[in-house]
Structure formats: structure tokens, C-alpha cells
Amino acid sequence: MRPTVYIKDLKNHVGEEVTLKGWLYNKRSSGKLKFLILRDGTGYIQCVVFKGNVSEEIFDSADKLTQESSFEVKGKVKAEPRSVGGYELDVTDMKTVAISHEYPITPKEHGIEFLIDNRHLWVRSKRQVAILKIRARIVKAIRDFFDSRGFTLFDPPIITPNACEGTSTLFEMDYFDLGKAYLTQSGQLYVESGAMALGKVYSFGPTFRAEKSKTRRHLTEFWMVEPEMAFYNLDDDMDLAEEFLEYIVQTVLAECKEELKELERDTTKLEKVVRPFPRISYDEAVEILKKNGINFEWGNDLGGTDETVISGQYDRPVMVHRYPAEVKAFYMKRDPENLKVALAVDVLAPEGYGEIIGGSQREDDLDLLLSRIKEHNLPQSFFEWYLDLRRFGSVPHSGFGLGLERTVSWICGLEHLREAIPFPRMIYRNTP
RNA sequence: UCCGCGGUAGCUCAAUGGCAGAGCAUGCGGCUGUUAACCGCAGGGUUGUAGGUUCGAGCCCUACCCGCGGAGCCA
């Protein structure tokens, strides 16, 4: 039997008698009075059990409920300023569904390691519920954004025969009689074929990196959204990325007020995320680093601390474009005005959250792409299908990838990426 | 792979080389307005593992195991 009413809807039932179903979040008692905090996934409400209002049996059953026990409760809804949330339930009847064993996550603080070990239970806590709701809303905002702008969803394969960009370490597996296969590190090359078929496409799915990155900004399995657009140059690409990020942030601000409050997120920082975003070249970024006393050599990629210094100059995401071609992937187009740099862009989130978007205009010239593949010592046979995209009606095109968990982490103001996904996968952890 | 930090009750932590403790959680008792409620009582320990120094090691030394943070790499 389904619940008759969910906690989030109680404001429409003041004065009525309703039945709620859920779990015991916490309990306090004061002799003949018991306060049961019920949670049902939509909210929390204090249920008051007064000894004079219920049978002895029911009063005792309220006493026996342990933290996270499941139960049904019937009572009258009333507005109550003394209660957190503003509403309260005067209990007339209740039924225990299951008494919980001793619950490991107590109301006191816990260490991160213990909480991750109990991730399957930790997701019940207020903070985690708020984060997961915001994540779900961000995912919807991403889909809404592209679906309403003429993009078609285009799903690349997850099992691939080779390293997409030839740089990262991948998860390897035996694939029947065909030798080794790998879990994808990016749908990038495949969505390019989609853009040639459908004009504007995006993929949204899990991505895998086997690098032994041991930081709060890395997971081995994460979700990435990758739009790819035919006839877009780098400026068009940046225009889209900018509009995209503004849309996501402003949507969450408008629709997840309660959750952001639960996370104690400083929303004034998010309110500033409106177009236009600053756009600086890699050369200008290097100047900023030098002005801040950082010894940085032209030609290197930006490190974590470099990114923090650069993004610290601005109150909104900053787009750094035209990186040295040497440090970027083989498929990125060189700038015709300066062949040493690639038409690439990284978007750095504010408040030290680092790179959340990486994108570029792609090399559309067959001969140049061929020579890049040779320079990078990549097996040409694996890329013949990709080269076909240049053989058969090549056009200028661009795209980018946005890391979902880094975006969730930034918008929620998290310390660590592992809270941004239900079950994080890291180099020394694949459980629960 | 490298650098740094850590491992004590179910959890979070304390303990000058000298009797291993507190809070929370659990159990029992008390309280008609609690807000991580409070008050009283009780149970709960191979101090990561293996050696070593010492009259005596949670603490000092050596090795190993595990974890966390950072670097590199990246979203």
C-alpha cells in the first residue's frame, strides 16, 4: 500500500488527519511525551506522541523504535513554530514496519573513511540527500538545455578497441577472440561522426580513467556530457559553453533553494555566474601567473595550483583558450594565426574547483590529421573510420566535455568529488 | 611512482615511557515541549601487523599492511 501523503506536501493538509510512512531519523523523549523525527525521502517532520492520546501499546512501540526503524504513523497535521520545518504531526496511531538493527551512522560526527564504507546508508543523511537531489536536477538541466536547442542525443560505445586520445591509462579487458578492449575515456571521436550525421549532438554517460590519480578531484568512473557541433568554430564553442554553464547554475539556484540551504552554500557566489565569462588566452594566463610570482615556463600545461591562481582573479568561470599544441590532444586544430597553439579551451570554475570543461575546434583537414596521428605514434588502422569523417565531406566542427561530478561538486560547494556521485569509484576503493 | 600525515571501544577522539579514558551509539531507569535534548546506572578494548629497546611501550626504534592528503595526469 502506497503512502497517502508525502512530507513535502503536508502544507496542503494542515488540520487533516494523514498517514505517513518512512524511517526514524532521530528520537527524543520527555516522560509522557515522545518526539519522533520521521523522514520519507521528501522531507522531515516531527511526530509528537503524547501518552494521553494513544494506547499504552502504541506509546511503548514508539519507545522501542530505534534510529532508522521503518514505521507508519497516523495523525493530525498542524502548523507548529516550535518544530523544525514549521509543521508537526499529533500522533493518534502508528505501526512499526521493521525495527532497525543498531545503526552505524549516529547523530554525532564521523570520519570520511567510515562514511564511505557505509555509503549505502550514508545516502540517507540530510546532506547527502540534498546533494543527490541537486545532482539529479543538474542532469535534467543538462538534458533540457541540449534537447531544447536542436541537439540530438547520440550514445557512443563504452567498450572501445583503442585509447581515444592515446594519452590516458585505460581499464583493459579481454574481448573474446579480438584481443584487448578498453573502457572508454571519452566519447569524443564517436560523437564527431554523430555531428556529421545530425548536425548537433551530445552524449551523456559514464567515462573511465585508470590513472592512479589520488586527489579530491578525481574518480576512476565519472559522468561526462559531450556536445559536438558541425560548422562551429572555437568562438561558437565558447559561446555555447558559457550559455550552458549559466543555464545549469541559474536553474539550480532557482529550483534547489532548500537543498543549497541545507548544504550552507554561499549562493551569492553562484548568482554571479552570468554571461559573459572572461576569456583569456594561454599567453595571458601565463602573464597572470608570473605577476603572482609563480615560476611558469611557456609550453607547460596548467597545474592544479596554477588553475586556482588564475580562477582566483575572477568571480565567474574563466575560459582559457589557445594552449600550446604540444600539451593537447592530436585531434585539436591548430590556430592558423599561430601554429604553435591549438584551438582549445578549458573552462576553470571559480572558488578553486578547477577544470570543469575541456573543449576544442577539431582538426578537419585529412592530411594534417594524418600527420598528427603519426607524430603521436598512434596506430593509424584504428583511426581509419575517424579519418573517413574528413574524407567524406569534412566541415569545421567543435565540441567540449563537461565533468558532471566536478560541476556538482562546485555548485554544492563540496570538499571532495566522492560526495557528488552515489557510489564513488577511486583507485583504492570499488565498494560498496 | 614520489612526498607528507595518520591507524586506540561500533563511531569521533584523549591518554609526560608508569592503573587505557570521555562523548555519541546500545541496554535499563527518570522527566509533558525536546531541537546533535537532558539526568542516573550498565555492558563494551589482541591500542593496524611482526619484531626490537626498556624494570615497564598506545607512546621510542625497524620492517610491513591499510587509509587519507598532495604531486604527476586529467573532467
Side-chain angles (χ1 to χ4, degrees), chain A residues 69 143 313:
Chain A
S69 290
R143 295 198 179 282
Q313 312 287 312

Side-chain angles (χ1 to χ4, degrees), chain A residues 164-371:
Chain A
C164 163
E165 302 181 9
T167 51
S168 302
T169 316
L170 305 189
F171 288 103
E172 190 180 273
M173 68 178 108
D174 290 320
Y175 197 81
F176 305 107
D177 296 333
L178 297 178
K180 300 292 183 194
Y182 305 87
L183 291 180
T184 183
Q185 62 157 177
S186 165
Q188 152 76 48
L189 303 188
Y190 293 97
V191 293
E192 284 188 45
S193 72
M196 300 305 131
L198 295 150
K200 291 192 289 189
V201 297
Y202 73 101
S203 73
F204 195 1
T207 302
F208 307 88
R209 303 277 166 93
E211 273 129 5
K212 293 199 168 180
S213 298
K214 237 184 111 172
T215 83
R216 69 180 78 188
R217 298 187 309 279
H218 291 87
L219 297 170
T220 55
E221 175 184 317
F222 63 98
W223 283 62
M224 186 154 69
V225 55
E226 294 177 282
E228 188 75 27
M229 299 76 64
F231 299 105
Y232 268 49
N233 63 23
L234 182 66
D235 288 335
D236 301 326
D237 204 27
M238 289 196 281
D239 289 345
L240 183 74
E242 190 176 64
E243 187 187 356
F244 179 50
L245 284 177
E246 179 192 77
Y247 178 80
I248 293 172
V249 171
Q250 295 306 321
T251 299
V252 172
L253 268 176
E255 299 195 16
C256 299
K257 287 195 175 71
E258 285 300 309
E259 288 77 15
L260 290 169
K261 195 177 162 195
E262 171 63 35
L263 297 173
E264 296 177 329
R265 183 67 167 103
D266 180 357
T267 51
T268 61
K269 297 257 172 65
L270 296 176
E271 281 157 13
K272 289 176 181 150
V273 181
V274 288
R275 288 176 283 170
F277 298 166
R279 298 181 188 193
I280 63 170
S281 67
Y282 171 90
D283 289 357
E284 290 168 310
V286 172
E287 284 306 309
I288 289 172
L289 292 176
K290 283 181 177 163
K291 266 184 208 158
N292 283 272
I294 292 172
N295 185 19
F296 189 89
E297 203 177 318
W298 196 98
N300 290 337
D301 206 350
L302 301 176
T305 40
D306 304 325
E307 289 179 354
T308 305
V309 169
I310 293 163
S311 64
Q313 312 287 312
Y314 307 96
D315 61 358
R316 59 196 77 191
V318 54
M319 310 175 113
V320 183
H321 56 81
R322 290 177 171 79
Y323 280 76
E326 301 279 321
V327 300
K328 288 293 181 184
F330 76 94
Y331 54 74
M332 294 184 179
K333 190 176 180 64
R334 304 274 172 116
D335 185 351
E337 290 174 16
N338 178 4
L339 294 175
K340 282 186 176 169
V341 301
L343 293 173
V345 59
D346 282 355
V347 182
L348 308 180
E351 302 170 72
Y353 280 92
E355 185 185 343
I356 51 170
I357 281 181
S360 72
Q361 185 170 338
R362 322 304 189 187
E363 182 53 74
D364 50 278
D365 182 274
L366 176 63
D367 293 330
L368 286 175
L369 191 55
L370 253 174
S371 60

Side-chain angles (χ1 to χ4, degrees), chain A residues 109-145:
Chain A
E109 60 191 289
H110 297 279
I112 193 72
E113 193 185 339
F114 175 79
L115 290 169
I116 286 275
D117 280 340
N118 290 282
R119 184 58 172 167
H120 53 296
L121 302 175
W122 189 23
V123 290
R124 300 182 184 191
S125 70
K126 275 186 183 175
R127 176 181 165 81
Q128 299 308 312
V129 163
I131 295 168
L132 293 172
K133 283 186 176 174
I134 291 175
R135 177 187 165 105
R137 191 62 192 81
I138 290 172
V139 169
K140 178 168 157 50
I142 288 169
R143 295 198 179 282
D144 288 347
F145 180 86

Side-chain angles (χ1 to χ4, degrees), chain A residues 13-113:
Chain A
H13 295 274
V14 175
E16 294 172 27
E17 184 159 83
V18 299
T19 299
L20 298 172
K21 302 182 181 190
W23 298 262
L24 185 71
Y25 193 74
N26 201 354
K27 172 176 78 171
R28 290 177 283 271
S29 74
S30 185
K32 299 188 173 89
L33 207 50
K34 296 198 181 300
F35 303 95
L36 309 176
I37 313 296
L38 174 78
R39 63 167 191 88
D40 72 351
T42 73
Y44 303 81
I45 186 165
Q46 176 159 283
C47 306
V48 182
V49 189
F50 176 49
K51 198 164 188 175
N53 289 351
V54 296
S55 69
E56 187 119 342
E57 196 177 75
I58 286 172
F59 192 77
D60 287 347
S61 73
D63 199 37
K64 286 199 170 63
L65 288 180
T66 52
Q67 191 187 355
E68 286 302 315
S69 290
S70 47
F71 65 108
E72 302 177 16
V73 62
K74 195 161 120 185
K76 195 171 170 186
V77 183
K78 67 172 189 185
E80 173 53 75
R82 283 178 293 185
S83 183
V84 177
Y87 298 95
E88 205 169 72
L89 195 74
D90 269 338
V91 176
T92 54
D93 195 8
M94 58 179 288
K95 196 171 110 190
T96 302
V97 177
I99 293 291
S100 171
H101 294 203
E102 190 177 325
Y103 193 65
I105 302 177
T106 68
K108 284 275 182 175
E109 60 191 289
H110 297 279
I112 193 72
E113 193 185 339

